[in-house]
Amino acid sequence: MRMSKGIIIVIIIMIAVGVGVYWVLQRPESIGINNDNTFSAGEIVTGAADLQIKAQADKDLAIVKAQELWRKALLEGTDLSAGPCLTNQAIPDWVADVAHNPRQAIDDDPANQCSAYRDGTVRHFVEIDLAGNVIRAE
């Protein structure tokens, strides 16, 4: 019995994909997943790992943007002592806010908080202290 070239090519592709999937499942670091943050095979196959990686990347980017805005405000001589909102959109779905550490009553004044987070338009925030250090990022 003679196999057509198309069937042979499909078999070769399936073997290559199988080897690739096996490689990723056995060595997750090969696709950038380190041992500190490993994912199950199910998370990798279903894409849940991708969502977790993206969420962490967004958080990291929001922190960088918040600290960048803090530095800019500092260089411009902006008074940050009241703990103002730096921006209602550091990156999509994230605000950047300055607060005291430990927290003071002035930090709970709505005038000093990011309105987009208060009204629910944005779901995440980065809170940095007067020295530019991250207090919380959620």
PDB file of all heavy atoms in Angstrom, residues 50-78:
ATOM      1  N   ASP A  50      -1.075  31.657  30.450  1.00  0.00           N
ATOM      2  CA  ASP A  50      -0.907  32.907  29.703  1.00  0.00           C
ATOM      3  C   ASP A  50      -1.588  34.070  30.416  1.00  0.00           C
ATOM      4  O   ASP A  50      -1.044  35.171  30.485  1.00  0.00           O
ATOM      5  CB  ASP A  50      -1.481  32.779  28.292  1.00  0.00           C
ATOM      6  CG  ASP A  50      -0.703  31.814  27.421  1.00  0.00           C
ATOM      7  OD1 ASP A  50       0.462  31.510  27.758  1.00  0.00           O
ATOM      8  OD2 ASP A  50      -1.257  31.367  26.405  1.00  0.00           O
ATOM      9  N   LEU A  51      -2.784  33.823  30.946  1.00  0.00           N
ATOM     10  CA  LEU A  51      -3.510  34.881  31.652  1.00  0.00           C
ATOM     11  C   LEU A  51      -2.768  35.312  32.910  1.00  0.00           C
ATOM     12  O   LEU A  51      -2.701  36.500  33.223  1.00  0.00           O
ATOM     13  CB  LEU A  51      -4.927  34.417  32.001  1.00  0.00           C
ATOM     14  CG  LEU A  51      -5.857  34.165  30.819  1.00  0.00           C
ATOM     15  CD1 LEU A  51      -7.186  33.596  31.299  1.00  0.00           C
ATOM     16  CD2 LEU A  51      -6.071  35.437  30.018  1.00  0.00           C
ATOM     17  N   GLN A  52      -2.199  34.348  33.626  1.00  0.00           N
ATOM     18  CA  GLN A  52      -1.456  34.676  34.841  1.00  0.00           C
ATOM     19  C   GLN A  52      -0.180  35.445  34.507  1.00  0.00           C
ATOM     20  O   GLN A  52       0.173  36.392  35.198  1.00  0.00           O
ATOM     21  CB  GLN A  52      -1.114  33.401  35.609  1.00  0.00           C
ATOM     22  CG  GLN A  52      -2.327  32.727  36.211  1.00  0.00           C
ATOM     23  CD  GLN A  52      -1.974  31.410  36.879  1.00  0.00           C
ATOM     24  OE1 GLN A  52      -0.918  31.275  37.473  1.00  0.00           O
ATOM     25  NE2 GLN A  52      -2.856  30.435  36.773  1.00  0.00           N
ATOM     26  N   ILE A  53       0.474  35.043  33.449  1.00  0.00           N
ATOM     27  CA  ILE A  53       1.700  35.735  33.027  1.00  0.00           C
ATOM     28  C   ILE A  53       1.360  37.157  32.599  1.00  0.00           C
ATOM     29  O   ILE A  53       2.055  38.102  32.954  1.00  0.00           O
ATOM     30  CB  ILE A  53       2.403  34.954  31.895  1.00  0.00           C
ATOM     31  CG1 ILE A  53       2.965  33.639  32.449  1.00  0.00           C
ATOM     32  CG2 ILE A  53       3.497  35.785  31.256  1.00  0.00           C
ATOM     33  CD1 ILE A  53       3.411  32.664  31.381  1.00  0.00           C
ATOM     34  N   LYS A  54       0.258  37.336  31.845  1.00  0.00           N
ATOM     35  CA  LYS A  54      -0.144  38.677  31.408  1.00  0.00           C
ATOM     36  C   LYS A  54      -0.526  39.552  32.595  1.00  0.00           C
ATOM     37  O   LYS A  54      -0.168  40.723  32.656  1.00  0.00           O
ATOM     38  CB  LYS A  54      -1.310  38.617  30.420  1.00  0.00           C
ATOM     39  CG  LYS A  54      -1.688  40.007  29.919  1.00  0.00           C
ATOM     40  CD  LYS A  54      -2.862  39.994  29.010  1.00  0.00           C
ATOM     41  CE  LYS A  54      -3.252  41.348  28.497  1.00  0.00           C
ATOM     42  NZ  LYS A  54      -3.055  42.498  29.344  1.00  0.00           N
ATOM     43  N   ALA A  55      -1.235  38.984  33.565  1.00  0.00           N
ATOM     44  CA  ALA A  55      -1.630  39.759  34.746  1.00  0.00           C
ATOM     45  C   ALA A  55      -0.399  40.247  35.499  1.00  0.00           C
ATOM     46  O   ALA A  55      -0.350  41.406  35.935  1.00  0.00           O
ATOM     47  CB  ALA A  55      -2.520  38.912  35.657  1.00  0.00           C
ATOM     48  N   GLN A  56       0.600  39.395  35.648  1.00  0.00           N
ATOM     49  CA  GLN A  56       1.828  39.803  36.333  1.00  0.00           C
ATOM     50  C   GLN A  56       2.581  40.852  35.515  1.00  0.00           C
ATOM     51  O   GLN A  56       3.108  41.811  36.073  1.00  0.00           O
ATOM     52  CB  GLN A  56       2.726  38.599  36.604  1.00  0.00           C
ATOM     53  CG  GLN A  56       3.962  38.946  37.417  1.00  0.00           C
ATOM     54  CD  GLN A  56       3.647  39.501  38.795  1.00  0.00           C
ATOM     55  OE1 GLN A  56       2.852  38.927  39.525  1.00  0.00           O
ATOM     56  NE2 GLN A  56       4.255  40.617  39.163  1.00  0.00           N
ATOM     57  N   ALA A  57       2.598  40.695  34.203  1.00  0.00           N
ATOM     58  CA  ALA A  57       3.277  41.673  33.340  1.00  0.00           C
ATOM     59  C   ALA A  57       2.576  43.030  33.427  1.00  0.00           C
ATOM     60  O   ALA A  57       3.238  44.074  33.495  1.00  0.00           O
ATOM     61  CB  ALA A  57       3.312  41.179  31.897  1.00  0.00           C
ATOM     62  N   ASP A  58       1.240  43.029  33.441  1.00  0.00           N
ATOM     63  CA  ASP A  58       0.491  44.286  33.579  1.00  0.00           C
ATOM     64  C   ASP A  58       0.804  44.954  34.913  1.00  0.00           C
ATOM     65  O   ASP A  58       1.014  46.172  34.979  1.00  0.00           O
ATOM     66  CB  ASP A  58      -1.020  44.037  33.474  1.00  0.00           C
ATOM     67  CG  ASP A  58      -1.484  43.752  32.060  1.00  0.00           C
ATOM     68  OD1 ASP A  58      -0.688  43.932  31.112  1.00  0.00           O
ATOM     69  OD2 ASP A  58      -2.654  43.346  31.897  1.00  0.00           O
ATOM     70  N   LYS A  59       0.832  44.161  35.976  1.00  0.00           N
ATOM     71  CA  LYS A  59       1.131  44.699  37.307  1.00  0.00           C
ATOM     72  C   LYS A  59       2.529  45.314  37.326  1.00  0.00           C
ATOM     73  O   LYS A  59       2.719  46.427  37.815  1.00  0.00           O
ATOM     74  CB  LYS A  59       1.018  43.589  38.349  1.00  0.00           C
ATOM     75  CG  LYS A  59       1.285  44.029  39.764  1.00  0.00           C
ATOM     76  CD  LYS A  59       1.087  42.841  40.704  1.00  0.00           C
ATOM     77  CE  LYS A  59       1.353  43.197  42.140  1.00  0.00           C
ATOM     78  NZ  LYS A  59       1.108  42.044  43.037  1.00  0.00           N
ATOM     79  N   ASP A  60       3.503  44.596  36.773  1.00  0.00           N
ATOM     80  CA  ASP A  60       4.877  45.104  36.734  1.00  0.00           C
ATOM     81  C   ASP A  60       4.961  46.396  35.924  1.00  0.00           C
ATOM     82  O   ASP A  60       5.631  47.353  36.328  1.00  0.00           O
ATOM     83  CB  ASP A  60       5.823  44.056  36.142  1.00  0.00           C
ATOM     84  CG  ASP A  60       5.985  42.832  37.027  1.00  0.00           C
ATOM     85  OD1 ASP A  60       5.627  42.899  38.225  1.00  0.00           O
ATOM     86  OD2 ASP A  60       6.456  41.795  36.512  1.00  0.00           O
ATOM     87  N   LEU A  61       4.263  46.441  34.792  1.00  0.00           N
ATOM     88  CA  LEU A  61       4.269  47.636  33.951  1.00  0.00           C
ATOM     89  C   LEU A  61       3.595  48.811  34.662  1.00  0.00           C
ATOM     90  O   LEU A  61       4.082  49.943  34.601  1.00  0.00           O
ATOM     91  CB  LEU A  61       3.576  47.350  32.619  1.00  0.00           C
ATOM     92  CG  LEU A  61       3.562  48.484  31.602  1.00  0.00           C
ATOM     93  CD1 LEU A  61       4.985  48.932  31.257  1.00  0.00           C
ATOM     94  CD2 LEU A  61       2.820  48.047  30.350  1.00  0.00           C
ATOM     95  N   ALA A  62       2.504  48.542  35.359  1.00  0.00           N
ATOM     96  CA  ALA A  62       1.810  49.602  36.102  1.00  0.00           C
ATOM     97  C   ALA A  62       2.709  50.170  37.194  1.00  0.00           C
ATOM     98  O   ALA A  62       2.731  51.387  37.431  1.00  0.00           O
ATOM     99  CB  ALA A  62       0.507  49.068  36.699  1.00  0.00           C
ATOM    100  N   ILE A  63       3.472  49.320  37.855  1.00  0.00           N
ATOM    101  CA  ILE A  63       4.402  49.777  38.898  1.00  0.00           C
ATOM    102  C   ILE A  63       5.472  50.672  38.286  1.00  0.00           C
ATOM    103  O   ILE A  63       5.769  51.755  38.802  1.00  0.00           O
ATOM    104  CB  ILE A  63       5.032  48.576  39.639  1.00  0.00           C
ATOM    105  CG1 ILE A  63       3.975  47.909  40.523  1.00  0.00           C
ATOM    106  CG2 ILE A  63       6.240  49.004  40.457  1.00  0.00           C
ATOM    107  CD1 ILE A  63       4.407  46.576  41.109  1.00  0.00           C
ATOM    108  N   VAL A  64       6.043  50.236  37.178  1.00  0.00           N
ATOM    109  CA  VAL A  64       7.070  51.037  36.503  1.00  0.00           C
ATOM    110  C   VAL A  64       6.503  52.393  36.090  1.00  0.00           C
ATOM    111  O   VAL A  64       7.130  53.434  36.295  1.00  0.00           O
ATOM    112  CB  VAL A  64       7.639  50.278  35.282  1.00  0.00           C
ATOM    113  CG1 VAL A  64       8.478  51.183  34.404  1.00  0.00           C
ATOM    114  CG2 VAL A  64       8.446  49.079  35.737  1.00  0.00           C
ATOM    115  N   LYS A  65       5.299  52.389  35.537  1.00  0.00           N
ATOM    116  CA  LYS A  65       4.666  53.638  35.092  1.00  0.00           C
ATOM    117  C   LYS A  65       4.381  54.551  36.292  1.00  0.00           C
ATOM    118  O   LYS A  65       4.603  55.761  36.225  1.00  0.00           O
ATOM    119  CB  LYS A  65       3.380  53.323  34.332  1.00  0.00           C
ATOM    120  CG  LYS A  65       2.716  54.519  33.735  1.00  0.00           C
ATOM    121  CD  LYS A  65       3.560  55.156  32.653  1.00  0.00           C
ATOM    122  CE  LYS A  65       2.804  56.297  32.005  1.00  0.00           C
ATOM    123  NZ  LYS A  65       3.558  56.971  30.974  1.00  0.00           N
ATOM    124  N   ALA A  66       3.908  53.982  37.400  1.00  0.00           N
ATOM    125  CA  ALA A  66       3.627  54.779  38.603  1.00  0.00           C
ATOM    126  C   ALA A  66       4.898  55.437  39.118  1.00  0.00           C
ATOM    127  O   ALA A  66       4.900  56.626  39.465  1.00  0.00           O
ATOM    128  CB  ALA A  66       2.993  53.908  39.681  1.00  0.00           C
ATOM    129  N   GLN A  67       5.981  54.689  39.161  1.00  0.00           N
ATOM    130  CA  GLN A  67       7.239  55.254  39.641  1.00  0.00           C
ATOM    131  C   GLN A  67       7.774  56.298  38.658  1.00  0.00           C
ATOM    132  O   GLN A  67       8.356  57.298  39.079  1.00  0.00           O
ATOM    133  CB  GLN A  67       8.249  54.140  39.902  1.00  0.00           C
ATOM    134  CG  GLN A  67       7.849  53.333  41.125  1.00  0.00           C
ATOM    135  CD  GLN A  67       8.747  52.152  41.390  1.00  0.00           C
ATOM    136  OE1 GLN A  67       9.204  51.480  40.469  1.00  0.00           O
ATOM    137  NE2 GLN A  67       8.989  51.880  42.672  1.00  0.00           N
ATOM    138  N   GLU A  68       7.550  56.094  37.380  1.00  0.00           N
ATOM    139  CA  GLU A  68       7.947  57.086  36.380  1.00  0.00           C
ATOM    140  C   GLU A  68       7.158  58.388  36.585  1.00  0.00           C
ATOM    141  O   GLU A  68       7.725  59.481  36.551  1.00  0.00           O
ATOM    142  CB  GLU A  68       7.681  56.520  34.990  1.00  0.00           C
ATOM    143  CG  GLU A  68       7.966  57.451  33.845  1.00  0.00           C
ATOM    144  CD  GLU A  68       7.553  56.824  32.518  1.00  0.00           C
ATOM    145  OE1 GLU A  68       8.011  55.719  32.214  1.00  0.00           O
ATOM    146  OE2 GLU A  68       6.760  57.461  31.800  1.00  0.00           O
ATOM    147  N   LEU A  69       5.859  58.280  36.819  1.00  0.00           N
ATOM    148  CA  LEU A  69       5.024  59.458  37.065  1.00  0.00           C
ATOM    149  C   LEU A  69       5.411  60.141  38.375  1.00  0.00           C
ATOM    150  O   LEU A  69       5.390  61.373  38.470  1.00  0.00           O
ATOM    151  CB  LEU A  69       3.545  59.069  37.077  1.00  0.00           C
ATOM    152  CG  LEU A  69       2.980  58.635  35.726  1.00  0.00           C
ATOM    153  CD1 LEU A  69       1.617  57.984  35.901  1.00  0.00           C
ATOM    154  CD2 LEU A  69       2.896  59.829  34.784  1.00  0.00           C
ATOM    155  N   TRP A  70       5.761  59.352  39.392  1.00  0.00           N
ATOM    156  CA  TRP A  70       6.209  59.915  40.664  1.00  0.00           C
ATOM    157  C   TRP A  70       7.481  60.738  40.442  1.00  0.00           C
ATOM    158  O   TRP A  70       7.588  61.858  40.929  1.00  0.00           O
ATOM    159  CB  TRP A  70       6.449  58.797  41.673  1.00  0.00           C
ATOM    160  CG  TRP A  70       7.129  59.264  42.914  1.00  0.00           C
ATOM    161  CD1 TRP A  70       6.542  59.833  44.010  1.00  0.00           C
ATOM    162  CD2 TRP A  70       8.535  59.254  43.175  1.00  0.00           C
ATOM    163  NE1 TRP A  70       7.504  60.158  44.938  1.00  0.00           N
ATOM    164  CE2 TRP A  70       8.735  59.813  44.443  1.00  0.00           C
ATOM    165  CE3 TRP A  70       9.650  58.817  42.458  1.00  0.00           C
ATOM    166  CZ2 TRP A  70       9.986  59.955  45.019  1.00  0.00           C
ATOM    167  CZ3 TRP A  70      10.902  58.946  43.018  1.00  0.00           C
ATOM    168  CH2 TRP A  70      11.059  59.514  44.280  1.00  0.00           C
ATOM    169  N   ARG A  71       8.462  60.170  39.703  1.00  0.00           N
ATOM    170  CA  ARG A  71       9.716  60.894  39.421  1.00  0.00           C
ATOM    171  C   ARG A  71       9.448  62.189  38.658  1.00  0.00           C
ATOM    172  O   ARG A  71      10.020  63.228  38.963  1.00  0.00           O
ATOM    173  CB  ARG A  71      10.675  60.016  38.602  1.00  0.00           C
ATOM    174  CG  ARG A  71      11.570  59.156  39.445  1.00  0.00           C
ATOM    175  CD  ARG A  71      12.674  58.481  38.637  1.00  0.00           C
ATOM    176  NE  ARG A  71      12.200  57.499  37.671  1.00  0.00           N
ATOM    177  CZ  ARG A  71      11.788  56.281  37.978  1.00  0.00           C
ATOM    178  NH1 ARG A  71      11.790  55.889  39.225  1.00  0.00           N
ATOM    179  NH2 ARG A  71      11.388  55.456  37.053  1.00  0.00           N
ATOM    180  N   LYS A  72       8.563  62.126  37.683  1.00  0.00           N
ATOM    181  CA  LYS A  72       8.221  63.325  36.889  1.00  0.00           C
ATOM    182  C   LYS A  72       7.605  64.394  37.790  1.00  0.00           C
ATOM    183  O   LYS A  72       7.980  65.570  37.717  1.00  0.00           O
ATOM    184  CB  LYS A  72       7.251  62.947  35.771  1.00  0.00           C
ATOM    185  CG  LYS A  72       6.880  64.100  34.879  1.00  0.00           C
ATOM    186  CD  LYS A  72       5.930  63.654  33.780  1.00  0.00           C
ATOM    187  CE  LYS A  72       5.616  64.857  32.922  1.00  0.00           C
ATOM    188  NZ  LYS A  72       4.234  64.916  32.540  1.00  0.00           N
ATOM    189  N   ALA A  73       6.679  63.984  38.656  1.00  0.00           N
ATOM    190  CA  ALA A  73       6.048  64.941  39.567  1.00  0.00           C
ATOM    191  C   ALA A  73       7.080  65.557  40.503  1.00  0.00           C
ATOM    192  O   ALA A  73       7.056  66.762  40.767  1.00  0.00           O
ATOM    193  CB  ALA A  73       4.941  64.250  40.367  1.00  0.00           C
ATOM    194  N   LEU A  74       7.995  64.739  40.980  1.00  0.00           N
ATOM    195  CA  LEU A  74       9.046  65.217  41.875  1.00  0.00           C
ATOM    196  C   LEU A  74       9.934  66.237  41.159  1.00  0.00           C
ATOM    197  O   LEU A  74      10.232  67.300  41.707  1.00  0.00           O
ATOM    198  CB  LEU A  74       9.868  64.028  42.359  1.00  0.00           C
ATOM    199  CG  LEU A  74      10.621  64.186  43.662  1.00  0.00           C
ATOM    200  CD1 LEU A  74       9.666  64.418  44.815  1.00  0.00           C
ATOM    201  CD2 LEU A  74      11.459  62.944  43.920  1.00  0.00           C
ATOM    202  N   LEU A  75      10.334  65.921  39.933  1.00  0.00           N
ATOM    203  CA  LEU A  75      11.190  66.833  39.162  1.00  0.00           C
ATOM    204  C   LEU A  75      10.481  68.146  38.831  1.00  0.00           C
ATOM    205  O   LEU A  75      11.113  69.189  38.733  1.00  0.00           O
ATOM    206  CB  LEU A  75      11.655  66.160  37.864  1.00  0.00           C
ATOM    207  CG  LEU A  75      12.680  65.042  38.040  1.00  0.00           C
ATOM    208  CD1 LEU A  75      12.920  64.325  36.716  1.00  0.00           C
ATOM    209  CD2 LEU A  75      13.990  65.595  38.584  1.00  0.00           C
ATOM    210  N   GLU A  76       9.162  68.084  38.671  1.00  0.00           N
ATOM    211  CA  GLU A  76       8.381  69.287  38.383  1.00  0.00           C
ATOM    212  C   GLU A  76       8.066  70.087  39.639  1.00  0.00           C
ATOM    213  O   GLU A  76       7.460  71.150  39.560  1.00  0.00           O
ATOM    214  CB  GLU A  76       7.089  68.913  37.658  1.00  0.00           C
ATOM    215  CG  GLU A  76       7.322  68.370  36.251  1.00  0.00           C
ATOM    216  CD  GLU A  76       6.057  67.843  35.600  1.00  0.00           C
ATOM    217  OE1 GLU A  76       5.015  67.696  36.289  1.00  0.00           O
ATOM    218  OE2 GLU A  76       6.111  67.565  34.389  1.00  0.00           O
ATOM    219  N   GLY A  77       8.447  69.550  40.796  1.00  0.00           N
ATOM    220  CA  GLY A  77       8.207  70.255  42.050  1.00  0.00           C
ATOM    221  C   GLY A  77       6.792  70.114  42.583  1.00  0.00           C
ATOM    222  O   GLY A  77       6.356  70.904  43.421  1.00  0.00           O
ATOM    223  N   THR A  78       6.057  69.113  42.126  1.00  0.00           N
ATOM    224  CA  THR A  78       4.682  68.885  42.580  1.00  0.00           C
ATOM    225  C   THR A  78       4.686  68.475  44.052  1.00  0.00           C
ATOM    226  O   THR A  78       5.485  67.642  44.470  1.00  0.00           O
ATOM    227  CB  THR A  78       4.012  67.775  41.746  1.00  0.00           C
ATOM    228  OG1 THR A  78       4.087  68.137  40.366  1.00  0.00           O
ATOM    229  CG2 THR A  78       2.567  67.573  42.140  1.00  0.00           C
TER     230      THR A  78
END
